[in-house]
Amino acid sequence: MWNDLKTLAAAREGRRIDALFAEDPARAATFSVSVGDMLLDYSKTQLDDEVMNALLAVAEEAGVAGRRDAMFSGAKINETEGRAVLHTALRNLSGTPVEVDGEDVMPDVLETLARMESLADEVRGSGITDVVNIGIGGSDLGPKMAYLALQPYCDGPRCHFVSNVDGADIADTLKLCPAETTLFIVASKTFTTIETMTNAKTARDWLQARGVSPEGRFVALSSNQEKAAEWGIPAERVFGFEDWVGGRYSMWGPIGLSVMIAVGPEDFRAFLRGAQAMDDHFLTAPFPDNMPVMLALVGMWHNQVLGHATRAVLPYDNRLTRLPAYFQQLEMESNGKGVSMDGAALACDSGPVVWGEPGTNGQHAFYQLIHQGTRVIPCEFMVAAQGHEPDLRHHHELLIANCLGQSEALMRGRTLDEARGKVAGKFEGAELERQARHRVFPGNRPSTTLIYRKLDPATLGSIVALYEHRVFVEGVILNINSFDQWGVELGKELATALGPMVSGAESADSKDGSTRLLLTYVHKNVS
Ligand code: F6P
């Protein structure tokens, strides 16, 4: 199927996106899709009807609809770990039964949500000034991203997020927190992650060193209730979730507790409802009108068919500053795999490298390469029609103008003739020609734009669920397991073995020359 798509791509080589708009005045309406008040415009790409139909056929053939229904209904689609994949149950506020192994999981999900809400209310009214979430990967990126995104809704204690095992992270955070009024949340699905357990112990020692009892100061969010109990956190302060919630899909449940404490249970529910609305859309909309499906297909056209290896996520929304990092884990931990479900080598490239920064900052840093570099980088812009600062409307207008200006510039580019016009009068002859060439923009660079009314909790929920489902669709088409992450294991094992070599307790003679050289440097320079 990739070969057919590559043939279609070859037949379109050199065709200009701006010419497609000239040929078809209705292009923007045809190549865009709406859900609620969110609009995804993918018309600034080379897609046309024939390519679209071919991509849709690929999605049909791959069995996306069947696999999607299997996921929502609790089938064990995470085959390498023998687990269901049910983060969608965490936002199933209607409580419609969802069964795993013949048992409805919803009563437990809703009970845990209610317990979280009563703890959040208690903490918000208790004089706690600071909450420190200690977790890493999926136990950090989601809540931190959402906390920053929802700042206008935060009216609870200040939240901090400690993830790195580098002592600098917790040391710098603890300097900001009064020991008497700080609550620690130990967020770890497994409750064994070395970074998190090391930071949690440091936090406990810090409290004790200040004469504050750790009792009542720690909450655990984990699937491993036994380990949390061993660590000394009583059952009523442990919020559990099942193994059918993957780490990078977990902020909808207990892992979102810091966000719930910050914004309050009502706004957290709005966040869940926004995600649930996207779930309903994903389940019911025909594929051509299905936003996650279309976003996935456009992404695959760029990555697997045209071979553009990276994808930039560019929110023109400063509060989404951690969204690109969140999407990095979502996409790259889910779809960065080399074998298909049956263990055979993948016949095409796996998921893309995802990176990005909020606009307009990125414009003054790396957009140079996006506009004039030799590689094409498909860009995914995001922007709200409204900001949260009515007094600063002129800022928001500039923000929108920049967002739209960038996608237009990427598409149109600037010809040599136009560039000559820019320098005419300043230079002459060969120098004019040389100067003009530096000012040429190739253009024809694809982008999509997701536009929404305002970054409120429901919209944030919808955006994140949109991307979750997009990654899911890509994974089904690639026939990979998007829900395991074996690729993170080897480095962890080797780090554990290296620990005693770093401290000097064990010899490093068995190691390669490079590792020995680096360890020798450490041993010579440790104070
Ligand atoms: O590094 C891999 C990983 O397992 C991620 O998938 C996960 O989000 C993170 O580590 C943290 O894991 P835990 O929540 O179990 O501490």
Side-chain angles (χ1 to χ4, degrees), residues 271-358:
F271 171 61
L272 298 184
R273 270 196 298 275
Q276 195 180 15
M278 186 56 72
D279 293 343
D280 291 344
H281 165 81
F282 179 47
L283 272 168
T284 55
F287 281 5
D289 305 324
N290 196 308
M291 199 181 276
V293 172
M294 295 317 301
L295 189 59
L297 295 180
V298 172
M300 296 190 86
W301 170 250
H302 290 146
N303 182 26
Q304 278 79 14
V305 182
L306 297 178
H308 305 319
T310 88
R311 167 191 296 163
V313 176
L314 305 167
Y316 277 67
D317 204 322
N318 201 52
R319 294 191 175 103
L320 291 179
T321 186
R322 292 296 289 165
L323 192 69
Y326 178 80
F327 284 166
Q328 256 168 4
Q329 187 196 19
L330 180 62
E331 178 97 41
M332 293 165 75
E333 200 167 74
S334 299
N335 288 347
K337 312 281 164 69
V339 295
S340 55
M341 278 289 194
D342 58 6
L346 275 196
C348 62
D349 282 330
S350 61
V353 176
V354 176
W355 60 284
E357 271 287 314

Coordinates of all heavy atoms in Angstrom, one line a residue, residues 271-358:
F271 N -12.5 19.3 31.9 CA -11.4 18.8 31.1 C -11.7 17.4 30.6 O -11.5 17.0 29.5 CB -10.1 18.9 32.1 CG -8.9 18.2 31.6 CD1 -8.2 18.6 30.5 CD2 -8.3 17.2 32.4 CE1 -7.0 18.0 30.1 CE2 -7.1 16.6 32.0 CZ -6.5 17.0 30.8
L272 N -12.2 16.6 31.6 CA -12.6 15.2 31.2 C -13.7 15.2 30.1 O -13.7 14.4 29.2 CB -13.0 14.4 32.4 CG -12.0 14.2 33.5 CD1 -12.6 13.3 34.6 CD2 -10.7 13.6 33.0
R273 N -14.7 16.1 30.3 CA -15.8 16.1 29.4 C -15.3 16.5 28.0 O -15.8 16.0 27.0 CB -16.8 17.1 29.9 CG -17.9 16.5 30.7 CD -19.1 17.4 30.9 NE -18.8 18.6 31.5 CZ -18.7 18.8 32.8 NH1 -19.0 17.9 33.6 NH2 -18.4 20.0 33.3
G274 N -14.3 17.4 27.9 CA -13.8 17.8 26.6 C -13.1 16.6 25.9 O -13.3 16.4 24.7
A275 N -12.4 15.8 26.7 CA -11.8 14.6 26.1 C -12.9 13.6 25.7 O -12.8 13.0 24.6 CB -10.9 14.0 27.1
Q276 N -13.9 13.5 26.5 CA -15.0 12.5 26.2 C -15.7 12.9 24.9 O -16.1 12.0 24.1 CB -16.0 12.4 27.4 CG -16.9 11.2 27.3 CD -17.9 11.1 28.4 OE1 -18.1 12.0 29.2 NE2 -18.5 9.9 28.5
A277 N -15.8 14.2 24.7 CA -16.5 14.7 23.5 C -15.7 14.2 22.3 O -16.2 13.8 21.2 CB -16.7 16.2 23.5
M278 N -14.3 14.3 22.4 CA -13.5 13.9 21.3 C -13.6 12.3 21.1 O -13.6 11.8 20.0 CB -12.0 14.3 21.5 CG -11.1 14.0 20.4 SD -11.6 14.7 18.8 CE -11.3 16.5 19.0
D279 N -13.7 11.6 22.3 CA -13.9 10.2 22.2 C -15.1 9.8 21.4 O -15.1 9.0 20.5 CB -14.0 9.5 23.6 CG -12.7 9.6 24.4 OD1 -11.7 9.9 23.8 OD2 -12.8 9.5 25.6
D280 N -16.2 10.5 21.7 CA -17.5 10.2 21.0 C -17.4 10.5 19.5 O -17.9 9.8 18.7 CB -18.6 11.1 21.6 CG -19.0 10.7 23.0 OD1 -18.6 9.6 23.4 OD2 -19.6 11.5 23.8
H281 N -16.7 11.6 19.2 CA -16.5 12.0 17.8 C -15.7 10.9 17.1 O -16.1 10.5 16.0 CB -15.8 13.4 17.8 CG -15.3 13.7 16.4 ND1 -16.0 14.2 15.4 CD2 -14.0 13.6 15.9 CE1 -15.3 14.4 14.3 NE2 -14.0 14.0 14.6
F282 N -14.6 10.5 17.7 CA -13.7 9.5 17.1 C -14.5 8.2 16.9 O -14.3 7.5 15.9 CB -12.5 9.3 18.1 CG -11.5 8.2 17.6 CD1 -11.1 8.3 16.3 CD2 -11.0 7.3 18.5 CE1 -10.1 7.3 15.8 CE2 -10.1 6.3 18.0 CZ -9.6 6.4 16.7
L283 N -15.4 7.9 17.8 CA -16.1 6.6 17.7 C -17.2 6.7 16.6 O -17.5 5.6 16.0 CB -16.8 6.3 19.0 CG -16.0 5.5 20.1 CD1 -16.7 5.6 21.4 CD2 -15.8 4.1 19.6
T284 N -17.7 7.8 16.4 CA -18.9 7.9 15.5 C -18.8 8.6 14.2 O -19.6 8.3 13.3 CB -20.1 8.6 16.3 OG1 -19.6 9.9 16.7 CG2 -20.5 7.8 17.5
A285 N -17.9 9.5 14.1 CA -17.8 10.3 12.8 C -17.3 9.4 11.7 O -16.3 8.7 11.9 CB -16.9 11.5 13.0
P286 N -17.9 9.5 10.5 CA -17.3 8.8 9.3 C -15.9 9.3 9.1 O -15.6 10.5 9.4 CB -18.2 9.3 8.2 CG -19.3 10.0 8.8 CD -19.0 10.4 10.2
F287 N -15.0 8.4 8.6 CA -13.6 8.8 8.5 C -13.3 10.1 7.9 O -12.4 10.8 8.3 CB -12.8 7.6 7.9 CG -12.5 6.5 8.9 CD1 -13.1 6.5 10.1 CD2 -11.7 5.4 8.5 CE1 -12.8 5.4 11.0 CE2 -11.4 4.4 9.4 CZ -12.0 4.4 10.6
P288 N -13.9 10.4 6.7 CA -13.5 11.7 6.1 C -13.8 12.9 7.0 O -13.2 14.0 6.8 CB -14.4 11.8 4.8 CG -14.8 10.4 4.6 CD -14.9 9.7 5.9
D289 N -14.8 12.8 8.0 CA -15.1 13.9 8.9 C -14.5 13.7 10.3 O -14.9 14.3 11.2 CB -16.6 14.0 9.0 CG -17.3 14.1 7.7 OD1 -16.8 14.8 6.8 OD2 -18.4 13.5 7.5
N290 N -13.7 12.7 10.4 CA -13.2 12.3 11.7 C -11.8 12.9 11.9 O -10.8 12.6 11.3 CB -13.1 10.7 11.7 CG -13.0 10.2 13.1 OD1 -12.1 10.6 13.8 ND2 -13.8 9.2 13.4
M291 N -11.8 13.9 12.9 CA -10.6 14.7 13.1 C -9.3 13.9 13.4 O -8.3 14.1 12.8 CB -10.8 15.8 14.1 CG -9.8 16.9 14.0 SD -10.1 18.2 15.2 CE -11.3 19.2 14.4
P292 N -9.4 12.9 14.4 CA -8.2 12.2 14.7 C -7.7 11.3 13.5 O -6.5 11.2 13.2 CB -8.6 11.2 15.8 CG -9.8 11.9 16.4 CD -10.5 12.6 15.3
V293 N -8.7 10.8 12.7 CA -8.3 10.0 11.6 C -7.7 10.8 10.5 O -6.6 10.5 10.0 CB -9.6 9.3 11.0 CG1 -9.2 8.6 9.6 CG2 -10.1 8.2 12.0
M294 N -8.2 12.0 10.3 CA -7.7 12.9 9.2 C -6.3 13.4 9.6 O -5.4 13.5 8.8 CB -8.6 14.0 8.9 CG -9.9 13.6 8.3 SD -9.8 12.3 7.0 CE -8.7 13.1 5.8
L295 N -6.1 13.8 10.9 CA -4.8 14.3 11.4 C -3.8 13.2 11.2 O -2.6 13.4 10.8 CB -5.0 14.7 12.8 CG -3.8 15.5 13.4 CD1 -3.4 16.7 12.7 CD2 -4.0 15.8 14.9
A296 N -4.2 11.9 11.5 CA -3.3 10.8 11.4 C -2.9 10.6 9.9 O -1.7 10.4 9.6 CB -3.9 9.5 11.9
L297 N -3.9 10.6 9.0 CA -3.6 10.4 7.6 C -2.7 11.4 7.0 O -1.8 11.1 6.3 CB -4.9 10.2 6.8 CG -5.7 9.0 7.2 CD1 -7.0 8.9 6.4 CD2 -5.0 7.7 7.1
V298 N -2.9 12.7 7.4 CA -2.1 13.8 6.9 C -0.7 13.6 7.4 O 0.3 13.7 6.6 CB -2.7 15.2 7.3 CG1 -1.7 16.3 7.0 CG2 -4.0 15.4 6.7
G299 N -0.5 13.2 8.7 CA 0.8 13.0 9.3 C 1.5 11.8 8.5 O 2.7 11.9 8.3
M300 N 0.8 10.8 8.2 CA 1.4 9.6 7.6 C 1.8 9.9 6.1 O 2.8 9.4 5.6 CB 0.5 8.4 7.6 CG 0.3 8.0 9.1 SD -0.6 6.4 9.3 CE 0.8 5.3 9.2
W301 N 1.0 10.7 5.5 CA 1.3 11.2 4.1 C 2.7 11.9 4.2 O 3.6 11.6 3.4 CB 0.2 12.1 3.6 CG 0.5 12.9 2.3 CD1 0.8 14.2 2.2 CD2 0.6 12.3 1.0 NE1 1.0 14.5 0.9 CE2 0.9 13.4 0.1 CE3 0.5 11.1 0.5 CZ2 1.1 13.2 -1.2 CZ3 0.6 10.9 -0.9 CH2 0.9 12.0 -1.7
H302 N 2.9 12.8 5.2 CA 4.1 13.5 5.3 C 5.3 12.6 5.7 O 6.4 12.7 5.1 CB 4.0 14.7 6.3 CG 3.1 15.7 5.7 ND1 2.3 16.5 6.5 CD2 2.9 16.2 4.4 CE1 1.6 17.3 5.7 NE2 1.9 17.2 4.5
N303 N 5.0 11.7 6.7 CA 6.1 11.0 7.2 C 6.4 9.7 6.4 O 7.5 9.5 5.8 CB 5.8 10.6 8.7 CG 6.9 9.9 9.4 OD1 8.1 10.0 9.0 ND2 6.6 9.1 10.4
Q304 N 5.5 8.8 6.4 CA 5.7 7.5 5.7 C 5.8 7.6 4.2 O 6.5 6.8 3.6 CB 4.7 6.4 6.2 CG 5.0 5.8 7.5 CD 4.6 6.7 8.7 OE1 3.9 7.6 8.5 NE2 5.1 6.3 9.9
V305 N 5.0 8.5 3.6 CA 4.9 8.5 2.1 C 6.0 9.5 1.6 O 6.8 9.1 0.8 CB 3.5 8.9 1.6 CG1 3.5 8.9 0.1 CG2 2.5 8.0 2.2
L306 N 6.0 10.7 2.1 CA 6.9 11.7 1.5 C 8.3 11.7 2.2 O 9.2 12.3 1.7 CB 6.3 13.1 1.6 CG 5.0 13.3 0.8 CD1 4.5 14.8 1.0 CD2 5.2 13.1 -0.7
G307 N 8.4 11.0 3.3 CA 9.7 10.8 4.0 C 10.1 11.9 4.8 O 11.3 12.0 5.1
H308 N 9.2 12.8 5.2 CA 9.7 13.9 6.1 C 9.8 13.4 7.5 O 8.8 13.0 8.1 CB 8.7 15.1 6.0 CG 8.4 15.6 4.6 ND1 9.4 15.7 3.7 CD2 7.2 16.0 4.0 CE1 8.9 16.2 2.6 NE2 7.6 16.3 2.7
A309 N 11.0 13.3 8.0 CA 11.2 12.5 9.2 C 10.8 13.2 10.5 O 10.6 12.5 11.5 CB 12.7 12.2 9.3
T310 N 10.6 14.5 10.5 CA 10.2 15.2 11.7 C 9.0 16.0 11.5 O 8.5 16.2 10.4 CB 11.4 16.1 12.3 OG1 11.2 17.4 11.7 CG2 12.7 15.6 12.0
R311 N 8.4 16.3 12.6 CA 7.1 17.1 12.6 C 7.2 18.1 13.7 O 7.5 17.8 14.9 CB 6.0 16.1 12.9 CG 4.6 16.7 13.2 CD 3.7 15.6 13.8 NE 3.4 14.6 12.8 CZ 2.9 13.4 13.0 NH1 2.7 13.0 14.3 NH2 2.7 12.5 12.1
A312 N 7.0 19.4 13.4 CA 7.0 20.4 14.4 C 5.6 20.7 14.9 O 4.7 20.9 14.1 CB 7.7 21.7 13.8
V313 N 5.5 20.8 16.2 CA 4.2 21.2 16.8 C 4.4 22.6 17.4 O 5.3 22.8 18.2 CB 3.9 20.2 18.0 CG1 2.6 20.7 18.7 CG2 3.7 18.8 17.5
L314 N 3.6 23.5 16.9 CA 3.9 25.0 17.1 C 2.7 25.7 17.7 O 1.9 26.3 16.9 CB 4.4 25.6 15.8 CG 5.6 24.9 15.1 CD1 5.7 25.4 13.7 CD2 6.8 25.1 15.9
P315 N 2.4 25.6 19.0 CA 1.3 26.2 19.5 C 1.5 27.7 19.6 O 2.5 28.2 20.3 CB 1.1 25.6 20.9 CG 2.3 24.8 21.2 CD 3.2 24.8 20.0
Y316 N 0.6 28.5 19.0 CA 0.6 30.0 19.3 C -0.2 30.2 20.5 O -1.3 30.8 20.4 CB 0.2 30.7 18.0 CG 1.3 30.8 17.0 CD1 1.9 29.7 16.4 CD2 2.0 32.1 16.8 CE1 3.0 29.8 15.6 CE2 3.1 32.2 16.0 CZ 3.6 31.0 15.4 OH 4.7 31.1 14.6
D317 N 0.2 29.7 21.6 CA -0.5 29.7 22.8 C 0.5 29.5 23.9 O 1.0 28.3 24.1 CB -1.6 28.6 22.8 CG -2.7 28.9 23.7 OD1 -2.5 29.4 24.8 OD2 -3.9 28.5 23.3
N318 N 1.0 30.6 24.5 CA 2.1 30.5 25.4 C 1.9 29.5 26.5 O 2.9 28.8 27.0 CB 2.5 31.8 26.0 CG 3.9 31.9 26.4 OD1 4.8 31.5 25.7 ND2 4.2 32.2 27.7
R319 N 0.7 29.3 26.9 CA 0.4 28.4 28.0 C 0.6 26.9 27.6 O 0.5 26.0 28.4 CB -0.9 28.7 28.7 CG -1.0 30.0 29.3 CD -2.2 30.3 30.2 NE -2.1 31.5 30.8 CZ -2.8 32.6 30.5 NH1 -3.6 32.6 29.5 NH2 -2.6 33.8 31.2
L320 N 0.7 26.7 26.3 CA 0.9 25.3 25.8 C 2.4 25.0 25.7 O 2.8 24.2 24.9 CB 0.2 25.1 24.5 CG -1.4 25.0 24.7 CD1 -2.0 24.8 23.3 CD2 -1.8 23.9 25.7
T321 N 3.2 25.7 26.5 CA 4.6 25.6 26.3 C 5.2 24.2 26.5 O 6.2 23.8 25.9 CB 5.3 26.6 27.3 OG1 6.7 26.6 27.0 CG2 5.1 26.3 28.7
R322 N 4.5 23.3 27.3 CA 5.0 22.0 27.5 C 4.2 21.0 26.6 O 4.5 19.8 26.7 CB 4.8 21.5 29.0 CG 5.8 22.3 29.9 CD 7.2 22.0 29.7 NE 7.6 20.7 30.0 CZ 8.8 20.1 29.6 NH1 9.6 20.7 28.9 NH2 9.1 18.8 30.0
L323 N 3.3 21.5 25.8 CA 2.6 20.5 24.9 C 3.5 19.8 23.9 O 3.3 18.6 23.8 CB 1.5 21.3 24.2 CG 0.5 20.3 23.5 CD1 -0.4 19.6 24.5 CD2 -0.5 21.1 22.6
P324 N 4.5 20.5 23.3 CA 5.3 19.7 22.4 C 6.1 18.5 23.1 O 6.2 17.4 22.6 CB 6.3 20.7 21.9 CG 5.6 22.0 21.9 CD 4.7 21.9 23.2
A325 N 6.5 18.8 24.4 CA 7.2 17.7 25.1 C 6.2 16.6 25.5 O 6.6 15.4 25.4 CB 7.8 18.3 26.4
Y326 N 5.0 17.0 25.8 CA 4.0 16.0 26.1 C 3.7 15.1 24.8 O 3.6 13.9 24.9 CB 2.7 16.7 26.6 CG 1.6 15.7 26.8 CD1 1.5 15.0 28.0 CD2 0.6 15.5 25.9 CE1 0.5 14.1 28.3 CE2 -0.4 14.6 26.1 CZ -0.5 13.9 27.3 OH -1.5 13.0 27.5
F327 N 3.6 15.8 23.7 CA 3.3 15.0 22.4 C 4.6 14.2 22.0 O 4.4 13.2 21.4 CB 3.0 16.0 21.3 CG 1.6 16.5 21.4 CD1 1.2 17.6 20.6 CD2 0.6 15.9 22.2 CE1 -0.1 18.1 20.7 CE2 -0.7 16.4 22.3 CZ -1.0 17.5 21.5
Q328 N 5.7 14.6 22.5 CA 6.9 13.8 22.2 C 6.8 12.5 22.8 O 7.0 11.4 22.2 CB 8.2 14.5 22.8 CG 9.0 15.2 21.7 CD 10.0 16.1 22.3 OE1 10.2 16.2 23.5 NE2 10.7 16.8 21.5
Q329 N 6.4 12.4 24.1 CA 6.3 11.1 24.7 C 5.1 10.3 24.1 O 5.3 9.1 23.8 CB 6.1 11.2 26.2 CG 6.1 9.8 26.9 CD 5.5 9.7 28.3 OE1 4.7 10.6 28.7 NE2 5.9 8.7 29.0
L330 N 4.0 11.0 23.9 CA 2.8 10.4 23.4 C 3.1 9.7 22.0 O 2.8 8.5 21.8 CB 1.7 11.4 23.2 CG 0.4 10.9 22.7 CD1 -0.2 9.9 23.6 CD2 -0.6 12.1 22.5
E331 N 3.8 10.4 21.2 CA 4.0 9.9 19.8 C 5.2 9.0 19.7 O 5.2 7.9 19.2 CB 4.2 11.1 18.9 CG 4.4 10.8 17.4 CD 3.2 10.8 16.5 OE1 2.4 11.7 16.7 OE2 3.1 9.9 15.7
M332 N 6.3 9.4 20.4 CA 7.5 8.7 20.1 C 7.7 7.5 21.0 O 8.3 6.5 20.6 CB 8.7 9.7 20.3 CG 8.8 10.7 19.2 SD 9.8 12.2 19.6 CE 11.4 11.5 19.3
E333 N 7.1 7.5 22.2 CA 7.1 6.3 23.0 C 6.0 5.3 22.5 O 6.2 4.1 22.6 CB 6.8 6.6 24.5 CG 7.3 5.5 25.5 CD 7.3 6.0 26.9 OE1 6.2 6.1 27.5 OE2 8.4 6.2 27.5
S334 N 5.0 5.8 21.9 CA 3.9 4.9 21.4 C 4.3 4.3 20.0 O 4.2 3.1 19.8 CB 2.6 5.7 21.2 OG 2.2 6.2 22.5
N335 N 4.8 5.2 19.1 CA 5.0 4.7 17.7 C 6.4 4.6 17.3 O 6.7 4.4 16.1 CB 4.1 5.5 16.8 CG 2.6 5.3 16.9 OD1 2.2 4.3 17.6 ND2 1.8 6.1 16.4
G336 N 7.3 4.8 18.2 CA 8.8 4.6 17.9 C 9.2 3.2 18.0 O 9.9 2.8 18.9
K337 N 8.6 2.3 17.1 CA 8.9 0.9 17.2 C 9.5 0.3 15.9 O 9.2 0.9 14.8 CB 7.6 0.1 17.5 CG 6.7 0.7 18.6 CD 7.2 0.3 20.0 CE 6.7 1.2 21.2 NZ 5.3 1.1 21.5
G338 N 10.2 -0.8 16.0 CA 10.8 -1.3 14.8 C 10.2 -2.6 14.3 O 10.5 -3.0 13.2
V339 N 9.3 -3.1 15.0 CA 8.7 -4.4 14.6 C 7.1 -4.3 14.6 O 6.6 -3.5 15.4 CB 9.1 -5.6 15.5 CG1 10.6 -5.9 15.3 CG2 8.7 -5.4 16.9
S340 N 6.5 -5.0 13.8 CA 5.0 -5.0 13.8 C 4.5 -6.0 14.8 O 5.3 -6.7 15.5 CB 4.5 -5.3 12.4 OG 5.0 -6.6 12.0
M341 N 3.2 -6.0 15.0 CA 2.5 -6.9 16.0 C 3.1 -8.3 16.1 O 3.2 -8.9 17.1 CB 1.0 -6.9 15.8 CG 0.3 -5.7 16.3 SD 0.3 -5.7 18.1 CE -0.9 -4.4 18.4
D342 N 3.3 -8.9 14.9 CA 3.8 -10.3 14.8 C 5.3 -10.4 15.0 O 5.8 -11.5 14.9 CB 3.3 -10.9 13.5 CG 3.9 -10.2 12.3 OD1 4.7 -9.2 12.5 OD2 3.5 -10.5 11.2
G343 N 6.0 -9.3 15.3 CA 7.4 -9.4 15.5 C 8.3 -9.2 14.3 O 9.5 -9.2 14.4
A344 N 7.6 -9.1 13.1 CA 8.4 -8.9 11.9 C 8.9 -7.5 11.8 O 8.3 -6.5 12.3 CB 7.6 -9.3 10.7
A345 N 10.0 -7.3 11.1 CA 10.5 -5.9 10.9 C 9.5 -5.0 10.2 O 8.8 -5.5 9.2 CB 11.8 -5.9 10.1
L346 N 9.4 -3.8 10.6 CA 8.4 -2.9 9.9 C 8.8 -2.7 8.4 O 10.0 -2.5 8.1 CB 8.4 -1.5 10.6 CG 7.6 -1.3 11.8 CD1 7.4 0.2 12.0 CD2 6.2 -1.9 11.6
A347 N 7.8 -2.6 7.6 CA 8.1 -2.4 6.1 C 8.3 -1.0 5.8 O 8.6 -0.7 4.6 CB 7.0 -3.1 5.3
C348 N 8.0 -0.1 6.7 CA 8.2 1.4 6.4 C 8.7 2.0 7.7 O 8.9 1.4 8.7 CB 6.8 1.9 6.0 SG 5.6 1.8 7.4
D349 N 8.9 3.3 7.6 CA 9.4 4.1 8.7 C 8.3 4.1 9.8 O 7.1 4.2 9.6 CB 9.7 5.5 8.4 CG 11.0 5.6 7.6 OD1 11.9 4.8 7.9 OD2 11.1 6.5 6.8
S350 N 8.8 4.0 11.1 CA 7.9 4.1 12.2 C 7.6 5.6 12.4 O 7.8 6.4 11.6 CB 8.5 3.5 13.5 OG 9.7 4.1 13.9
G351 N 7.0 6.0 13.6 CA 6.5 7.3 13.8 C 7.6 8.4 13.7 O 8.8 8.1 13.8
P352 N 7.2 9.6 13.5 CA 8.2 10.7 13.3 C 8.8 11.2 14.5 O 8.3 11.0 15.6 CB 7.3 11.8 12.7 CG 6.0 11.6 13.3 CD 5.8 10.1 13.5
V353 N 9.9 12.0 14.4 CA 10.4 12.8 15.5 C 9.5 14.0 15.7 O 9.2 14.7 14.7 CB 11.9 13.3 15.1 CG1 12.4 14.2 16.2 CG2 12.8 12.1 14.8
V354 N 9.1 14.2 16.9 CA 8.2 15.3 17.2 C 8.9 16.3 18.0 O 9.6 16.0 19.0 CB 6.9 14.8 17.9 CG1 6.0 16.0 18.3 CG2 6.1 13.8 17.1
W355 N 8.8 17.6 17.7 CA 9.5 18.6 18.4 C 8.8 19.9 18.2 O 7.9 20.0 17.4 CB 11.0 18.7 17.9 CG 11.1 19.1 16.5 CD1 10.9 18.2 15.4 CD2 11.4 20.4 15.9 NE1 11.1 18.9 14.3 CE2 11.4 20.2 14.5 CE3 11.6 21.6 16.5 CZ2 11.6 21.3 13.7 CZ3 11.9 22.7 15.6 CH2 11.9 22.5 14.2
G356 N 9.1 20.9 19.0 CA 8.4 22.2 18.8 C 8.6 23.1 20.0 O 9.1 22.7 21.1
E357 N 8.1 24.3 19.9 CA 8.1 25.4 20.9 C 6.9 26.3 20.6 O 6.5 26.3 19.4 CB 9.4 26.2 20.6 CG 10.6 25.8 21.3 CD 10.6 26.0 22.8 OE1 10.2 27.2 23.2 OE2 11.0 25.1 23.6
P358 N 6.5 27.0 21.5 CA 5.4 28.0 21.2 C 5.9 29.0 20.3 O 7.1 29.5 20.3 CB 5.1 28.6 22.6 CG 5.7 27.7 23.6 CD 6.8 27.0 23.0

